[in-house]
Amino acid sequence: MAAIQVSNVSLMVNPARYQEEFNFYVRFDAIEELRDDLEWKLVYVGSSESEKYDQILEDVLVGPVVRGPNEFVLNAPAPDWTKIPPEHVLGVTVILLICSYKEQEFIRVGYYVNNDYETEEERENPPDNICIGRVMRNVLVEQPRVTTHSINWN
């Protein structure tokens, strides 16, 4: 049985401007006290064509983990859009919240993200060069993709 059960992940501001930071509220229950910290990572997929465009937005250790309910807010900067191929900045991509214990991934929560201009006019006739200050991101928080793995907790 898993020593950690994630009970809630919510994005505190959504939709948001592309350049605003991410603020994920995370709540989990610990069935037992853990000797080591949990590693939480937020990864932005810059392009489905290559992992080289993925950006680790935040990588934090959370602990000590005591038995019972635990919660924290994961704050992460926006992805650096200049490191993403221009043709992949707008449109649909993915953000992943990954948790590991002793370098073993046990849960991955993925969300689709849609990046687009905030006005109908710009969506229909986008400027030749990306105007990132006018791009909004909308994380489809209602449809997370959760993957869990059994790990060795000892």
Side-chain angles (χ1 to χ4, degrees):
M1 181 155 117
I4 299 294
Q5 296 182 352
V6 177
S7 56
N8 186 21
V9 176
S10 58
L11 185 56
M12 299 171 74
V13 178
N14 188 54
R17 295 207 173 276
Y18 182 93
Q19 293 177 299
E20 289 183 27
E21 70 177 12
F22 289 93
N23 306 105
F24 279 96
Y25 167 79
V26 179
R27 181 181 168 89
F28 62 91
D29 295 305
I31 307 307
E32 60 189 66
E33 189 170 311
L34 299 179
R35 286 181 270 172
D36 295 300
D37 294 342
L38 295 174
E39 179 184 22
W40 292 86
K41 208 181 285 190
L42 190 64
V43 178
Y44 186 87
V45 176
S47 171
S48 60
E49 294 176 4
S50 174
E51 287 184 12
K52 74 179 182 180
Y53 299 112
D54 291 0
Q55 296 179 40
I56 297 174
L57 303 181
E58 189 58 91
D59 188 351
V60 297
L61 296 175
V62 174
V65 177
V66 296
R67 186 172 189 256
N70 293 263
E71 60 186 15
F72 69 99
V73 174
L74 178 70
N75 301 308
D80 182 348
W81 68 278
T82 63
K83 294 181 178 176
I84 300 170
E87 65 272 16
H88 293 279
V89 173
L90 299 177
V92 178
T93 189
V94 172
I95 192 159
L96 303 168
L97 179 63
I98 301 167
C99 190
S100 301
Y101 181 66
K102 294 185 177 182
E103 299 181 10
Q104 303 169 88
E105 179 181 320
F106 67 90
I107 189 166
R108 176 180 291 227
V109 183
Y111 298 95
Y112 290 109
V113 180
N114 187 43
N115 297 311
D116 212 344
Y117 286 104
E118 61 183 321
T119 67
E120 186 71 29
E121 180 181 331
E122 285 180 306
R123 285 191 295 272
E124 291 177 6
N125 301 301
D128 292 335
N129 296 316
I130 296 171
C131 299
I132 202 67
R134 298 197 304 257
V135 174
M136 298 292 290
R137 74 163 182 255
N138 185 13
V139 179
L140 303 180
V141 292
E142 306 83 22
Q143 302 172 357
R145 301 290 185 253
V146 180
T147 305
T148 58
H149 305 282
S150 295
I151 66 167
N152 180 2
W153 291 96
N154 296 323

